């Protein structure tokens, strides 16, 4: 249990304890704002944040050990290894991007002309473009080339305030290339400061060699690649694109059922273009999250609410495709926990700017600043199985924090096109 002494929250203030490697004090925090607790926030609670003005945070190694008011600083807090001045700015938990296609080769700027002529996402896919174009480039790329491109992206992403992100495979669509992608994610996890949660998405599209044989492709994924992924601990979750012209509900159920049998977590791309039953399946199978949900219907909403599935909504994709936006206000009304993420990928959202996505959450989803903070911290952390470690600023959790050049969350939602992250702290260390 944490102790409360005035405005001080701590599990211990014995700062001279043996074995301490480093102590960092973040001082002059104008406002600390965070959701509280290690669980998915839904309904009214989605919009409930703890706000403390004029405060400080003490970090020991990579963990928060105390939070208190500036007018109540114990004298032994001066005995720290490093002080970080927040200069009166806002401090929040590190942002969590719960849906990205980080690993790929080949941007698709050439599709602009097709889109300007009226071609839809599925039109481009049927013509051999879209995902399949990226598949060709990714198969041709070496692991080193994929690593370098992703590492460069991660550097910029972390500096913008994201300290944890999900990363999917899905542009290999065969054994060698899917495993290549997952190994790149593993290496990035080991060599960069970003926490990456790997997702196997072999069922992203039907590759050319399986054209007209989607059932056979699903069987290959289930019986050949997925067991290898599990055995070698290359992914924490499995994901599938349940959509017209891609994979139907029956195929999705087979794929996710095998993943569950193997002990892998479940995610599903559902109802992005048409409501064919993906969100209903998500609730029935209690998937950790259902992604997109632009066209979710009544049946899907009821199922997800009952199953406790997190709605992983992707407003950047709607913005880029000129599509409608997911009915987030209805989801919150129905007690479905909502997260928002970038969907960074080369086709439908070539941007990893989660700050812009937060602005879209306010403008297009009509979410409050408090709801938005919950949607980019604790709710995606829960959907990634990391809720006990990150997602809130509380004693005992990892010190993943952002100091913003802003006085409050309202400013973060209001400003767009400008990076407002002033300092990013990952597990107690400043990101340079």
């Amino acid at each position: 249990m944490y102790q409360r002494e005035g405005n001080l929250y701590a599990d211990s203030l014995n700062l001279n304890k043996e074995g301490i490697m480093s102590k960092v004090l973040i001082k002059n925090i104008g406002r600390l704002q965070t959701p509280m607790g290690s669980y998915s926030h839904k309904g009214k609670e989605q919009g409930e944040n703890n706000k403390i003005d004029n405060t400080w945070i003490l970090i020991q190694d990579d963990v928060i050990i105390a939070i208190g008011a500036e007018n109540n600083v114990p004298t032994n807090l001066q005995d720290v290894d490093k002080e970080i001045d927040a200069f009166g700015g806002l401090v929040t938990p590190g942002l969590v991007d719960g849906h990205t296609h980080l690993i790929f080769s080949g941007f698709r700027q050439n599709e602009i002309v097709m889109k300007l002529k009226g071609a839809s996402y599925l039109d481009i896919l049927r013509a051999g473009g879209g995902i399949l174009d990226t598949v060709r480039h990714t198969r041709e790329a070496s692991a080193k080339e994929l690593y370098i491109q992703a590492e460069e992206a991660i550097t910029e992403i972390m500096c913008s305030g994201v300290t944890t992100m999900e990363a999917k495979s899905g542009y290999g669509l065969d054994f060698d290339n899917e495993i290549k992608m997952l190994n790149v994610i593993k290496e990035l996890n080991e060599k960069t400061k970003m926490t990456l949660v790997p997702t196997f998405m072999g069922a992203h599209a039907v590759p050319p060699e399986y054209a007209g044989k989607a059932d056979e492709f699903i069987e290959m994924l289930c019986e050949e690649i997925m067991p290898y992924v599990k055995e070698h601990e290359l992914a924490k979750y499995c994901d599938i694109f349940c959509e017209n012209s891609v994979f139907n509900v029956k195929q999705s159920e087979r794929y996710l059922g095998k993943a569950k049998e193997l002990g892998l977590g479940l995610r599903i791309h559902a109802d992005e273009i048409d409501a064919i039953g993906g969100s209903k399946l998500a609730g029935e199978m209690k998937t950790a999250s259902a992604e997109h949900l632009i066209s979710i219907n009544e049946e899907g909403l009821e199922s997800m609410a009952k199953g406790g599935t997190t709605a992983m909504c992707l407003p950047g994709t709607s913005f880029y495709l000129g599509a409608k936006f997911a009915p987030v206000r209805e989801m919150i009304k129905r007690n479905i926990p909502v997260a928002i993420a970038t969907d960074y990928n080369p086709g439908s959202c070539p941007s990893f700017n989660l700050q812009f996505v937060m602005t879209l959450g306010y403008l297009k989803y009509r979410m409050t600043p408090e709801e938005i903070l919950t949607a980019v911290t604790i709710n995606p952390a829960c959907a990634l199985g990391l809720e006990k470690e990150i997602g809130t600023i509380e004693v005992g959790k990892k010190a993943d924090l952002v100091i913003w050049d802003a006085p409050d969350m309202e400013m973060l939602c209001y400003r767009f096109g400008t990076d407002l992250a002033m300092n990013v702290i990952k597990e107690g260390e400043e990101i340079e």
Side-chain angles (χ1 to χ4, degrees):
M1 296 293 292
Y2 305 146
Q3 301 169 353
R4 177 170 180 171
E5 302 173 46
N7 289 318
L8 177 68
Y9 298 81
D11 60 346
S12 172
L13 265 171
N14 178 12
L15 304 184
N16 298 312
K17 187 165 51 179
E18 293 184 6
I20 291 178
M21 295 179 65
S22 66
K23 295 191 296 290
V24 177
L25 175 67
I26 304 176
K27 63 181 183 179
N28 296 329
I29 299 171
R31 168 165 290 180
L32 184 158
Q33 185 164 338
T34 178
M36 298 292 288
S38 300
Y39 57 90
S40 295
H41 290 47
K42 57 189 179 181
K44 180 181 178 182
E45 199 169 23
Q46 172 106 27
E48 294 177 353
N49 294 170
N50 193 27
K51 302 175 186 178
I52 310 173
D53 292 339
N54 304 316
T55 189
W56 49 262
I57 299 171
L58 183 66
I59 301 163
Q60 177 181 306
D61 297 335
D62 61 348
V63 176
I64 298 167
I65 64 168
I67 302 168
E70 285 290 349
N71 62 3
N72 187 18
V73 182
T75 56
N76 59 349
L77 276 189
Q78 305 308 313
D79 180 26
V80 296
D81 299 292
K82 182 177 183 179
E83 291 187 359
I84 300 173
D85 198 329
F87 295 103
L90 170 72
V91 174
T92 71
L95 305 184
V96 180
D97 192 343
H99 181 125
T100 82
H101 299 262
L102 176 68
I103 312 299
F104 64 87
S105 178
F107 283 98
R108 304 208 299 263
Q109 67 273 19
N110 58 298
E111 293 178 1
I112 288 178
V113 174
M114 299 172 69
K115 291 176 180 177
L116 288 174
K117 291 181 178 179
S120 71
Y121 181 84
L122 290 181
D123 290 336
I124 295 170
L125 179 62
R126 293 187 192 103
I131 291 172
L132 296 180
D133 187 52
T134 302
V135 168
R136 285 189 287 273
H137 285 92
T138 303
R139 286 179 172 183
E140 293 169 359
S142 68
K144 183 178 181 180
E145 290 170 331
L146 294 174
Y147 180 95
I148 290 171
Q149 178 176 308
E151 184 185 38
E152 290 175 351
I154 285 173
T155 298
E156 187 173 345
I157 292 166
M158 290 203 80
C159 289
S160 71
V162 177
T163 53
T164 300
M165 61 191 297
E166 187 244 23
K168 304 179 192 292
S169 68
Y171 292 119
L173 306 186
D174 63 17
F175 187 96
D176 290 343
N177 288 290
E178 285 294 306
I179 298 306
K180 176 178 69 177
M181 295 179 71
L182 292 170
N183 275 318
V184 169
I185 296 170
K186 182 178 181 180
E187 186 177 3
L188 288 163
N189 239 339
E190 294 169 349
K191 294 183 178 179
T192 71
K193 293 183 178 180
M194 178 72 80
T195 298
L196 294 174
V197 179
T199 295
F200 170 57
M201 196 177 178
H204 197 187
V206 180
E209 61 268 27
Y210 278 89
K213 299 183 290 185
D215 286 341
E216 291 182 29
F217 180 58
I218 289 292
E219 286 304 306
M220 186 277 290
L221 295 174
C222 290
E223 299 304 324
E224 296 181 27
I225 305 184
M226 204 183 294
Y228 183 94
V229 168
K230 174 61 179 178
E231 180 184 355
H232 292 83
E233 299 181 341
L234 293 176
K236 185 174 180 179
Y237 292 92
C238 283
D239 195 350
I240 185 168
F241 193 0
C242 182
E243 187 59 68
N244 281 327
S245 299
V246 194
F247 300 104
N248 61 36
V249 171
K250 183 178 179 181
Q251 292 161 343
S252 299
E253 185 173 13
R254 163 68 175 128
Y255 179 87
L256 294 176
K258 181 64 176 184
K260 184 176 181 179
E261 177 188 319
L262 291 171
L264 292 163
L266 311 182
R267 330 188 76 80
I268 183 171
H269 281 52
D271 300 354
E272 177 180 2
I273 300 167
D274 296 303
I276 68 168
S279 57
K280 180 175 182 291
L281 179 66
E284 291 171 347
M285 298 194 72
K286 300 184 185 301
T287 62
S289 64
E291 333 284 297
H292 287 288
L293 306 170
I294 293 171
S295 300
I296 191 170
N297 58 17
E298 175 70 21
E299 193 174 32
L301 289 166
E302 289 184 4
S303 182
M304 285 184 59
K306 185 176 180 180
T309 295
T310 294
M312 191 71 68
C313 297
L314 312 170
T317 304
S318 292
F319 171 82
Y320 187 74
L321 295 178
K324 63 181 181 180
F325 288 79
V328 166
R329 289 255 52 97
E330 185 65 22
M331 293 172 182
I332 293 173
K333 179 181 177 181
R334 291 169 178 260
N335 290 317
I336 296 171
V338 173
I340 56 176
T342 62
D343 189 24
Y344 172 52
N345 74 83
S348 59
C349 192
S351 171
F352 44 63
N353 190 331
L354 191 56
Q355 290 183 45
F356 177 57
V357 166
M358 292 164 67
T359 299
L360 289 177
Y362 144 61
L363 291 173
K364 298 300 184 178
Y365 290 155
R366 312 308 292 172
M367 300 175 76
T368 67
E370 292 81 5
E371 290 170 341
I372 290 168
L373 184 60
T374 297
V376 294
T377 55
I378 188 59
N379 278 4
C382 288
L384 297 176
L386 297 174
E387 67 277 8
K388 294 182 180 179
E389 301 175 25
I390 62 168
T392 66
I393 301 176
E394 297 181 75
V395 170
K397 285 201 171 182
K398 285 188 177 180
D400 287 9
L401 309 164
V402 187
I403 302 172
W404 301 95
D405 186 15
D408 47 40
M409 273 299 301
E410 285 76 5
M411 181 65 80
L412 290 191
C413 297
Y414 163 72
R415 294 284 301 276
F416 68 94
T418 301
D419 183 5
L420 296 178
M422 188 162 56
N423 295 71
V424 180
I425 295 110
K426 175 64 178 175
E427 296 183 356
E429 295 184 8
E430 281 190 283
I431 301 299
E432 302 295 339

